[in-house]
Every structure is written in structure tokens, then in C-alpha cells.
Amino acid sequence: MNDRRDATPPDHASGQRHEDATNLVSPQDSTSSPRQRREGGPHTDRAQHLPGGSDRHQGARPSLETGPVSADARSHADETAAAAGRAPSARYRTGVVAATAKALRRHRPATARSTDADRRTALLQGARQRKRALFPAVSLMLWILAQIAYPLVTGAARDQVTVVVVLLAAGTALAHAAAVRGAAYALGFLVIVSGLGLLSEIAGTATGIPYGCYSYALDRLGPALADVPLVVPLAWTGGIYPIWVIAGLLVRRPAVRMVVLAAGAVGWDLFLDPQMVADGQWAWCVTDTGLPGMSHIPYTNYLGWFAVALVMAGLLTVWERVAPGDASDGPVGVAVAMFLWTWLGSMLAHAVFLGLPVSAVYGGLGLAWLGVGLLIRLVRGGNERIRFR
């Protein structure tokens, strides 16, 4: 084969080779240097499809599958194509496009590959976040449905609905905390709020401090510890969590946030205590030292709520600084919905369905300063997110 390549071919073979080369090589290829063709690039890919072997002397049309040929053959094909001014064939152009695309993929800049990887990572993280947010959203809807059912039932059925409402409220709060900050943070929140709530309730029923003298109706809300139903400390978690989140949206200074939580907890209790006392879940020893229209609930109850919630807020502030997990901003849609439903839904239920118009006014005003501030912030700020630190 080398002998045939080096020898001078007959005139008719030379003319045939001239026609074949001009069909395969673009005129622009003649401007490239031999060094460029040796180092790669479009000319190298095109040269690989030039004819070789005895087919050149027989005038056969080369195939894309033809193997590599020598540099002399590639040079000769370039020169003849440039002299004739003929464009490459369609089959050859298809091969060049495929080879060029493959080379571009192989030699893409590192920044482009990094951008694609970052985009895929962001998509995966978004999918995981949506999956984690699914359970809190479902729990929230079930909690609202259970509260809607509360005024529609009576007797033992209402006691069961009360337990379900408490469990769903605590479950929604903890699921949201876990989705945003992590399971360890949610567990710490539960220990602080429900633990301190249980201790304060045990002390309150035993000594009257810090709320005043009161007692629970046993065997109505499930098992109890030291005469305190175990669902009661869970109610603390379900009620305190959305107020804590809203306080974080409205204020940034930790000390101010602690006071806001304590005051918001008292506002929530202006709904809770009248409703539970009217249902017979607990009773007060002193029934004539309360607010106008609600004298059966003493002032000491609200003072006790403020003090206990303030201690909780202090412990939560410390916990959020040392808790494991991602401390980045997180979505607050579920917590905001819990707060708004507690505020607006309780006003409606007390005024229309439960026959408690006085507590509807007190509770509505007790949470209005938080609720109005939240609505203004949402309107001005759009899609709000909370800063955990």
C-alpha cells in the first residue's frame, strides 16, 4: 500500500481521486496548517473519512467507516478541494457535525459543567424540601377539620375531639419545626415547652402557683400524671409554637421576642381558658376576681401564663443558638396558618358556635396586635421566611 501511495498514479486515477477529494473536503480546509491537522480539530475529523487503500485507484466513493489515512493523503485532498472550490458531500457534513458536537461536549468549560451540577443539586434539594413540607401541610388541614368538628359534637365525643385537636396541633408544630430546622431542633422544642408546661401544671394543681387554685376533671382527656392530663403539656407545644414563629417574624432582638411570646401566650389563653372551663375540663377555686364578663377565671391565671411563657422563651432563645441543624431561613407558611386560624377561627367559633361572645372579644383583642402586625408584614414582605438566629 505504501508503494501505491508513493508512486505516481495514472492520469485517470488522479482525476478520479481529484473528484472524490473535492466531494469530501471543504475549500476552507486548505487554509489550515499541517500542525493544526496533526493536533486535532475539525480537519483531523474530516481527514479520517478520506478514502484509502486500492479504492482510490478504482474510483470508488469512500465510506464514513474508512480508517485513518496518512498526512500526505489529507494534504493532497485539501489542496485539490480548494482548487476545485467544491463543497463536501452530505454524508461527510453529517460526520463532521457529529464529531464536532462530541468534541464540544468533551471540552466544555469547567464552569459550565459546574453550573449544570449546581442546577441538579438545587432541583434535588427542592424536591426533598417539598417532600418534608408535605406532612406538616396535611397535619395542618386535619387539625383545622378537627377544630371545625368540635362545636358540632357534645359529651364524650367532644372530649375525644379535644384530644385529637391537641395531638394534631402538637404534631403539626413539631413536624413543621423538623422540616425547617431538623428533628433535633423539634425534639428540643418539645422538651422545653411541654416539659416546662407539665412542671408548671403539676405545681399549679398542687400548690396554686403560678396560676392560682384550680383542678382538672380526670378521666375525660385520657391518662394523667399527678392529676394533670398528659395532653395538656402537648397543648402548650401546639399553642406556643406558632406564636414563637410569628414573634420571630415581627422582631429581631431576642429579648423583645421573649416578651412578645409571653404576651401572645396570654392572648391565646383568653380563648383557651373560657372554652375549657365552659366545657368542664377544669375549674377554678376563686370565681369572682377575673376580667369583666369572665370573673370566673382569676387574674392570677394570666399572670402565671405570662411568667411561664417568658421562661419558655428564654430557654428557646438559648436552644436556637446551640441546637444542631441548618440555621438558615425557613418557610413559615404552616406556622402562619396555625396562628391565623387560632386567632380568626377562635373568634368566629366563640362568637357564633360556642356561645362565648365575651371571650371572642377578649381573645380577638389579645392576639390582634400580633395578627395585624403579621398581616402588614406579609403584605409588605411577600413570601416571608423566618430567621432562626
Side-chain angles (χ1 to χ4, degrees):
M1 181 178 296
N2 291 334
D3 295 338
R4 287 198 299 270
R5 186 183 301 122
D6 296 336
T8 301
D11 292 339
H12 71 276
S14 175
Q16 183 64 46
R17 185 168 62 250
H18 173 77
E19 294 178 1
D20 293 341
T22 55
N23 286 334
L24 294 174
V25 183
S26 171
Q28 290 82 353
D29 292 347
S30 62
T31 61
S32 61
S33 66
R35 179 180 178 181
Q36 289 176 323
R37 291 190 295 271
R38 288 194 301 272
E39 292 178 352
H43 302 294
T44 300
D45 292 333
R46 297 178 184 181
Q48 291 178 356
H49 306 299
L50 290 173
S54 60
D55 291 340
R56 292 202 308 268
H57 304 285
Q58 299 173 7
R61 172 67 90 184
S63 171
L64 287 176
E65 291 76 19
T66 304
V69 297
S70 68
D72 294 339
R74 290 195 298 267
S75 177
H76 180 76
D78 291 341
E79 294 172 358
T80 53
R86 300 179 60 180
S89 65
R91 292 184 63 190
Y92 177 73
R93 288 196 299 269
T94 302
V96 170
V97 170
T100 303
K102 184 177 180 180
L104 289 175
R105 288 194 300 269
R106 185 184 305 113
H107 299 291
R108 289 179 64 193
T111 55
R113 294 195 298 269
S114 177
T115 301
D116 291 345
D118 293 342
R119 188 180 296 110
R120 288 192 295 269
T121 301
L123 291 175
L124 291 175
Q125 291 178 348
R128 286 194 292 266
Q129 290 176 355
R130 288 190 294 271
K131 185 177 180 180
R132 288 196 301 266
L134 180 61
F135 181 76
V138 172
S139 182
L140 171 68
M141 291 186 289
L142 294 176
W143 174 66
I144 292 175
L145 291 175
Q147 286 200 321
I148 292 175
Y150 178 88
L152 304 179
V153 296
T154 58
R158 177 171 287 188
D159 293 342
Q160 295 173 356
V161 171
T162 300
V163 173
V164 172
V165 168
V166 172
L167 294 178
L168 286 174
T172 302
L174 295 174
H176 181 262
V180 173
R181 181 69 184 269
Y185 173 82
L187 180 60
F189 191 97
L190 174 66
V191 171
I192 292 172
V193 177
S194 290
L196 186 56
L198 177 61
L199 292 177
S200 68
E201 296 282 355
I202 292 175
T205 55
T207 66
I209 300 173
Y211 308 106
C213 179
Y214 68 104
S215 61
Y216 284 99
L218 302 179
D219 300 328
R220 291 189 58 183
L221 297 179
L225 176 64
D227 295 333
V228 177
L230 293 179
V231 297
V232 171
L234 293 178
W236 278 90
T237 293
I240 291 295
Y241 180 76
I243 300 174
W244 179 246
V245 173
I246 302 309
L249 285 176
L250 299 181
V251 297
R252 296 304 185 194
R253 296 178 57 184
V256 178
R257 187 183 186 186
M258 291 168 56
V259 176
V260 170
L261 173 67
V266 173
W268 173 46
D269 190 58
L270 289 171
F271 283 128
L272 179 65
D273 245 279
Q275 180 178 333
M276 294 295 101
V277 170
D279 197 38
Q281 298 295 347
W282 60 78
W284 293 94
C285 302
V286 179
T287 59
D288 57 356
T289 60
L291 296 171
M294 294 194 312
S295 59
H296 56 290
I297 302 174
Y299 290 109
T300 55
N301 172 61
Y302 309 115
L303 295 176
W305 268 79
F306 187 89
V308 172
L310 191 62
V311 176
M312 288 179 179
L315 295 176
L316 289 175
T317 300
V318 175
W319 173 239
E320 290 201 348
R321 291 178 179 174
V322 301
D326 185 7
S328 61
D329 293 355
V332 297
V334 170
V336 168
M338 289 184 71
F339 176 83
L340 292 177
W341 177 260
T342 299
W343 175 37
L344 301 176
S346 295
M347 279 197 301
L348 176 64
H350 281 229
V352 178
F353 299 104
L354 299 178
L356 301 170
V358 178
S359 60
V361 174
Y362 280 124
L365 294 176
L367 291 179
W369 60 282
L370 267 178
V372 172
L374 171 64
L375 293 177
I376 293 175
R377 186 65 179 273
L378 292 177
V379 170
R380 290 180 177 177
N383 185 21
E384 282 290 353
R385 301 170 74 86
I386 184 173
R387 293 173 183 244
F388 276 95
R389 294 190 181 183

